[in-house]
Amino acid sequence: MQGLDGLNKVPRHSYLPEKSLCLICRTPVKRSHILWRKELILLTGPVEAISWAYRCPDPACAGAEKVHFSAEAETLHLKHRRFGRDVVVHVGYRRFWYHQTMYEIHEWLIRDLGLTVSDRHVLNLIADFLALLRAAQPAKVRAQLKLLKQLIVGLDGMQPEKGNTCLYIVRELQLDLTLLAENLDDSSDATLRARLLQPLKALAEEMGLSWHGVVSDAQESIRTAVSKELPGVPHQACQSHCLRKAGDLTFQADRNMKKRLKASFRQRLRRVEQRIERLPEADPFRPVLADYADAMRTTLLEGGVAPFALGGMRVFDDLTALAASLTRCQEKGGMCFCVV
Ligand SMILES: [Zn+2]
C-alpha cells in the first residue's frame, strides 16, 4: 500500500507484508508495530518509507511470535544505507559499463538527481555496488552450472608483484564462467585446498556435477593440491603456459635482437629526420620522406607477445618492407636521398 502525505513534503510510502494470513492458523494477520521508518533517496527522488510489522492476532497460535513484513521494502536499500538499491545499481552501471569516472558520476548525482553529496559518497556507492555484485554471484553461477553435467575447471594464479598477495581465478572452461576469485596470502597446497578446491568440491556436489578435468600451469603446489583433493581427476598442464615455456629461448633471443635493432636504428633515424628538416619547404620529396620517417619511428614501438608474436621479427619485417618501398620510390621518382 502506498500513500502520499501532502504535495510539498517528501512522499510517504507504507509497505505491508505480501502474505496476509498467519502461516499456521490461516487467520488474517494484524498490524503490530513499525519495523523501520527511513528517508531513502531513490532514482525517482527522496521518499519516506515505512515498513509495517504484522502478527497473528491469536496469542495461543504457534505462529503468534512470527513477525510478518514486506519483502519489497527490504529490497529498496542496503542495511544502514540511505541510498536506494536502484541508485547503487545505476552508479555501478555508469562506473563499470560506461567507464565513467568518479567525477562524472558525482556530477550526475548532483545535476540529475539534485543531491548534495561528496566525492567520498560516490566511492561508497561504488563499494556498495561491488558488494551487491558479489552477493549476486553465487545465484548466477548456480543458474549457469545447471546447463552442465561435468566440470572442466581452469585454475590460474596471478601475482602482480613478488611478495604480494596472489589472485587466484577458478573458471569453468566450457561456460567461460568465473566460479571463484580469491586473494591468497600464500600459495601452499594446504591454502589452495582449503580456499579453492574444497569450496569447489562442495559446489560440484551441490549441483550434482562430476569432474571431467582440471587445467592449470605446472605450479607444484597446484599439482599436489589437486592430486590430494581430487584424486583420480585428470589434471592437464595448460597448453598456453607450456608453449610459452617452450618458446622462452626463442622469445628471449627475439627480444635481444629487437633491442639491438632499435638501439642502432634510433640514432640513424634521428640523423635522417634532421636532414629532412633541413630540406627546402618547397621540396616535393620532403613530405614523402617525412612520412617514411614517421612510419619508421612507429615501427620501433612494436612489441611482442609470447610465445608466437615475435616483436623483433615484426620490426625487422616492417623495416625491410619500408626499405623496399623506398627503393621503388627512388627508382620511379628519381628521389635521391640516402636514408641510412
Ligand atoms: Zn496464527
Side-chain angles (χ1 to χ4, degrees):
M1 191 185 82
Q2 299 181 349
L4 278 177
D5 189 26
L7 286 176
N8 297 326
K9 288 187 182 171
V10 171
R12 180 183 289 171
H13 291 237
S14 288
Y15 290 85
L16 311 187
E18 287 80 7
K19 290 196 174 83
S20 57
L21 299 177
C22 167
L23 295 175
I24 307 292
C25 68
R26 313 302 294 167
T27 311
V29 287
K30 287 267 162 62
R31 182 175 284 197
S32 163
H33 56 277
I34 289 176
L35 195 62
W36 53 261
R37 176 203 290 259
K38 209 166 182 181
E39 192 169 316
L40 298 175
I41 296 160
L42 307 180
L43 275 183
T44 47
V47 64
E48 187 187 357
I50 303 169
S51 177
W52 284 94
Y54 277 57
R55 279 198 169 138
C56 173
D58 179 4
C61 172
E65 289 304 306
K66 165 119 180 100
V67 174
H68 297 248
F69 54 85
S70 161
E72 188 194 348
E74 298 303 315
T75 64
L76 287 176
H77 70 300
L78 304 177
K79 223 170 184 168
H80 311 301
R81 297 283 192 271
R82 71 191 179 96
F83 285 94
R85 204 173 49 134
D86 54 356
V87 177
V88 174
V89 169
H90 224 84
V91 165
Y93 201 68
R94 281 171 182 269
R95 180 69 195 94
F96 298 106
W97 275 261
Y98 286 109
H99 306 290
Q100 288 193 344
T101 63
M102 193 182 79
Y103 302 104
E104 286 171 316
I105 298 171
H106 187 223
E107 202 189 314
W108 167 72
L109 288 168
I110 292 172
R111 197 191 51 220
D112 288 21
L113 296 193
L115 301 176
T116 320
V117 289
S118 63
D119 294 357
R120 180 72 218 170
H121 254 112
V122 181
L123 284 181
N124 291 344
L125 287 167
I126 291 171
D128 285 350
F129 175 77
L130 290 174
L132 266 181
L133 209 60
R134 182 157 177 126
Q137 188 65 6
K140 188 180 141 198
V141 164
R142 278 162 180 74
Q144 293 220 41
L145 285 181
K146 279 184 186 155
L147 305 169
L148 294 181
K149 285 194 168 59
Q150 288 191 314
L151 280 177
I152 305 175
V153 160
L155 224 156
D156 204 4
M158 283 168 273
Q159 195 169 27
E161 280 173 45
K162 272 227 171 326
N164 221 328
T165 56
C166 189
L167 173 67
Y168 278 89
I169 309 271
V170 182
R171 283 165 51 240
E172 208 302 314
L173 299 178
Q174 300 160 94
L175 298 169
D176 197 16
L177 173 71
T178 302
L179 302 175
L180 286 173
E182 292 286 347
N183 253 326
L184 302 183
D185 289 330
D186 74 281
S187 300
S188 66
D189 71 276
T191 307
L192 295 177
R193 286 170 69 185
R195 299 284 301 278
L196 302 176
L197 296 176
Q198 283 161 12
L200 258 186
K201 260 172 79 176
L203 180 67
E205 217 162 278
E206 179 197 328
M207 302 300 297
L209 294 165
S210 59
W211 288 86
H212 191 72
V214 177
V215 179
S216 74
D217 64 11
Q219 189 181 312
E220 195 52 36
S221 60
I222 296 183
R223 282 151 65 126
T224 50
V226 171
S227 69
K228 282 180 194 162
E229 206 59 52
L230 300 166
V233 173
H235 183 185
Q236 187 186 307
C238 167
Q239 291 166 0
S240 157
H241 280 91
C242 285
L243 285 170
R244 216 179 306 164
K245 202 89 193 141
D248 219 18
L249 283 175
T250 319
F251 193 73
Q252 283 306 332
D254 176 79
R255 185 185 296 201
N256 291 339
M257 178 185 77
K258 185 174 69 182
K259 229 186 221 167
R260 287 199 306 273
L261 205 57
K262 284 184 179 181
S264 70
F265 201 77
R266 210 164 254 139
Q267 290 175 350
R268 297 182 198 190
L269 184 60
R270 186 65 212 128
R271 284 202 297 274
V272 169
E273 282 170 337
Q274 283 164 352
R275 285 180 65 181
I276 295 172
E277 281 161 19
R278 284 199 298 271
L279 286 175
E281 286 281 344
D283 190 324
F285 295 131
R286 189 184 153 129
V288 180
L289 291 167
D291 279 353
Y292 272 105
D294 278 349
M296 284 173 202
R297 196 161 276 289
T298 311
T299 305
L300 296 184
L301 300 174
E302 292 268 19
V305 181
F308 296 124
L310 299 175
M313 291 299 288
R314 200 183 290 169
V315 173
F316 184 81
D317 285 348
D318 287 353
L319 289 177
T320 310
L322 278 171
S325 169
L326 257 178
T327 311
R328 280 197 303 277
C329 265
Q330 273 178 314
E331 285 165 7
K332 267 196 224 161
M335 185 159 50
C336 181
F337 193 83
C338 178
V339 173
V340 284

